[in-house]
Amino acid sequence: AQPGQVALRCPGGRGAGGRARYDQALTYTQLDARSDAIAAGLARHGVARGTRTVVMVRPSPEFFLLMFALFKAGAVPVLVDPGIDKRALRQCLGEADAEAFIGIPLAHAARVALGWARSARVRITTGARPWLAGATLAQVETAGADAGPQLAATAPDDVAAILFTSGSTGVPKGVVYRHRHLVAQVDMLRTAFGIEPGGVDLPTFPPFALFDPALGLTSVIPDMDPTRPARADPRRLHDAIERFGVDQLFGSPALMAVLAAHGQPLPTLRRVTSAGAPVPADVVAGMRDLLPADASFWTPYGATECLPVAVIEARELQATRAATESGAGTCVGRAVAPNAVRIIAISDDALPTWAEVEELPAGQVGEITVAGPTATDTYFNRHAQTRLAKIVECLPGGDQRVVHRMGDVGYVDGEGRLWFCGRKSHRVETAAGPLYTEQVEPVFNLHPDVRRTALVGTGDRGAQRPVLCVELAAGVPRGQWPRIEAELRALGRGHVHTGAIDHFLRHPGFPVDIRHNAKIGREKLAVWATRQ
């Protein structure tokens, strides 16, 4: 439809003043033709339909060419966050049982040194020479240059990709995506956010940029380390936005906090989307002030296993701010059609069939479940986790569908809106009843000297002691802690969810996930709090 339009731009070298040159660009015609050539070349090296292929390539033209080539070939790209714990990374790559490994030279060096993906018989490097690999990507592309269009006859239920979770609550799990899941995601994202072809997107989480060509957008890859969004330079982001007329932006709450703190208006943006964790209310308000009046700021709710589940726009989210700060949880909006979002009684056991489920009424906190076209049905080589996360539901007429257990707790209010109250594994089970992180922490986060708080439990479940870990705002002296602790105690009194908390610990800096820099590592904090 638009062969001459730029499909993606990537920063290359640097010009005067260290400004990124963005001298790497691909039009839709080039993306199509070159990914055809790579797909054909991969086939000559044994990478074809169904071949599980680890991809460890930085966000660059090569990454996007490779991913679309693998989809065209019907191969199965395997994506793991490279910044996770090295032992967990080795475990993930071993579980994937990959048959091919495509990566930058450094990834191949790590593969050899650390024993990654020993099962991979095909090894391709993006480097200039086939060091530690059988071929370079350039050689692969040259080998397939005359092959013409490529498109494997994949079926809806064929495996399209294995995408590992961030591992914020344990060793990452490989989520099996089928082609029908990806097709449904594109359709639901287009409808939920009103996306039309021709826009320009700045996706600060590279895998999300893969949706852009499918949605008819131009993708501008930002000049930043995608594994450290909290450390992104806002001036470089603004430079790309202004230079290319970016009208859409996707980023984690940590990246939104960077832009909000920078305080410079974003007049060209018309659609901003933030996901990965709840966006703090002050960040929402700060971003809303920087955007044009007619721009939309969306905070979708979902997970690697099912995305999108529900969406809410900033104006409605701001209207619920007082409730959140009073302990109601975080409103994440209404389910994206045709998803069915239901709340069930909290259980840590497997629930094989929906007949064994206790569905809860509106207003009652329980575990969030979702059934819909993007709800994945299994983890790769993680049978125990699959049993714990999936429920089989029999539908009228004899059909079946998989219901995904989000691993989150929340409730649906009388208006049909979903409220998020925290991760199920992060609930604190006291003798007086359960406490949920997103009903406790916002109450204390109001303190002006506090950057953020984290509720953890010590001791045995059912008799846990609730402890509030506190990270102070930048510049607040440690000597102020006794005063701040006393004020936090006073702040918690009178709230139904916070009155029982009488243990407060100052922490120098919370651990966060590698993917979004926004999910607090409460498991690590709980161990630390127990030692304290």
Side-chain angles (χ1 to χ4, degrees):
Q2 42 197 28
Q5 178 177 309
V6 172
L8 65 101
R9 298 182 188 274
C10 296
R14 296 198 178 279
R19 192 184 191 202
R21 287 205 295 261
Y22 282 94
D23 50 4
Q24 303 180 88
L26 292 172
T27 65
Y28 274 94
T29 292
Q30 292 169 326
L31 177 61
D32 192 33
R34 291 187 62 187
S35 60
D36 277 339
I38 293 172
L42 288 172
R44 297 180 185 182
H45 283 80
V47 179
R49 183 172 174 177
T51 304
R52 290 185 297 280
T53 306
V54 172
V55 178
M56 284 198 166
V57 178
R58 292 190 178 98
S60 61
E62 288 76 17
F63 173 76
F64 297 97
L65 288 166
L66 262 172
M67 290 298 292
F68 282 103
L70 291 167
F71 287 138
K72 287 181 174 184
V76 181
V78 178
L79 297 184
V80 187
D81 283 335
I84 64 172
D85 177 82
K86 293 298 180 285
R87 287 172 296 181
L89 181 53
R90 181 177 178 180
Q91 179 180 332
C92 293
L93 294 176
E95 286 177 359
D97 195 24
E99 301 148 286
F101 188 105
I102 304 177
I104 60 174
L106 182 61
H108 280 284
R111 173 182 60 78
V112 173
L114 302 177
W116 292 350
R118 294 182 185 274
S119 57
R121 54 182 173 76
V122 180
R123 296 156 187 169
I124 297 168
T125 178
T126 60
R129 293 179 295 176
W131 180 64
L132 299 178
T136 67
L137 184 61
Q139 291 170 338
V140 168
E141 185 175 352
T142 299
D146 299 325
Q150 304 289 305
L151 198 62
T154 50
D157 277 330
D158 284 356
V159 177
I162 298 174
L163 309 180
F164 277 81
T165 61
S166 64
S168 58
T169 56
V171 175
K173 301 179 286 292
V175 180
V176 174
Y177 267 71
R178 306 186 189 280
H179 283 278
R180 57 180 168 84
H181 294 137
L182 293 175
V183 171
Q185 275 189 328
V186 171
D187 288 342
M188 292 172 73
L189 288 170
R190 179 189 293 116
T191 302
F193 303 125
I195 298 174
E196 296 180 354
V200 182
D201 186 31
L202 189 77
T204 61
F205 178 50
F208 202 83
L210 292 169
F211 287 108
D212 285 349
L215 292 164
L217 306 177
T218 292
S219 204
V220 178
I221 306 306
D223 180 19
M224 60 174 279
D225 182 347
T227 69
R228 292 178 171 84
R231 299 182 186 176
D233 185 337
R235 295 167 299 178
R236 294 181 179 181
L237 299 177
H238 273 267
D239 177 52
I241 291 169
E242 293 164 9
R243 203 187 312 185
F244 301 110
V246 170
D247 57 8
Q248 300 172 56
L249 168 69
F250 176 87
S252 76
L255 185 115
M256 297 300 155
V258 168
L259 289 172
H262 188 56
Q264 293 299 309
L266 296 158
T268 66
L269 292 184
R270 291 294 176 269
R271 181 183 299 104
V272 177
T273 309
S274 184
V279 186
D282 61 329
V283 173
V284 173
M287 282 297 296
R288 185 62 261 172
D289 289 343
L290 300 177
L291 295 173
D294 60 346
S296 299
F297 182 18
W298 298 95
T299 58
Y301 168 71
T304 307
E305 297 91 334
C306 186
L307 181 76
V309 174
V311 296
I312 187 170
E313 206 277 326
R315 294 172 182 82
E316 184 176 5
L317 184 60
Q318 285 179 295
T320 65
R321 178 173 179 172
T324 296
E325 293 171 347
S326 297
T330 299
C331 185
V332 295
R334 291 170 174 79
V336 177
N339 286 336
V341 174
R342 292 166 289 183
I343 309 299
I344 65 174
I346 295 174
S347 170
D348 294 315
D349 299 326
L351 298 168
T353 67
W354 192 257
E356 302 171 59
V357 166
E358 179 190 354
E359 192 171 347
L360 300 181
Q364 191 168 338
V365 176
E367 184 175 359
I368 302 170
T369 72
V370 59
T374 66
T376 55
D377 44 51
T378 188
Y379 297 113
F380 192 77
N381 278 344
R382 287 285 192 92
H383 306 299
Q385 284 81 2
T386 297
R387 286 194 296 272
L388 287 171
K390 310 297 178 180
I391 308 170
V392 175
E393 182 180 15
C394 294
L395 301 173
D399 290 337
Q400 293 183 338
R401 66 177 175 181
V402 170
V403 180
H404 176 65
R405 301 169 71 177
M406 292 293 290
D408 295 332
V409 292
Y411 61 94
V412 175
D413 67 15
E415 298 180 41
R417 299 176 302 182
L418 178 63
W419 291 72
F420 171 72
C421 296
R423 293 290 292 169
K424 181 175 70 171
S425 61
H426 293 159
R427 73 190 190 276
V428 177
E429 294 279 6
T430 74
L435 296 175
Y436 306 113
T437 58
E438 290 298 317
Q439 290 187 322
V440 168
E441 294 163 8
V443 173
F444 295 106
N445 290 344
L446 287 172
H447 194 289
D449 292 332
V450 168
R451 181 188 177 195
R452 54 189 169 184
T453 61
L455 173 71
V456 299
T458 64
D460 296 329
R461 180 155 287 184
Q464 284 184 305
R465 173 184 297 172
V467 179
L468 192 78
C469 302
V470 181
E471 183 181 339
L472 298 181
V476 176
R478 295 182 185 178
Q480 295 296 311
W481 172 242
R483 171 187 62 81
I484 295 169
E485 180 181 0
E487 291 170 356
L488 288 173
R489 290 180 185 279
L491 196 60
R493 293 191 194 106
H495 285 277
V496 63
H497 303 299
T498 60
I501 299 173
D502 59 3
H503 293 276
F504 296 78
L505 295 174
R506 181 184 61 81
H507 191 279
F510 290 170
V512 293
D513 69 295
I514 188 69
R515 178 174 295 177
H516 300 295
N517 295 177
K519 297 178 182 176
I520 298 170
R522 291 181 177 83
E523 289 82 3
K524 293 180 180 178
L525 284 179
V527 173
W528 173 83
T530 299
R531 291 199 196 106
Q532 301 303 304

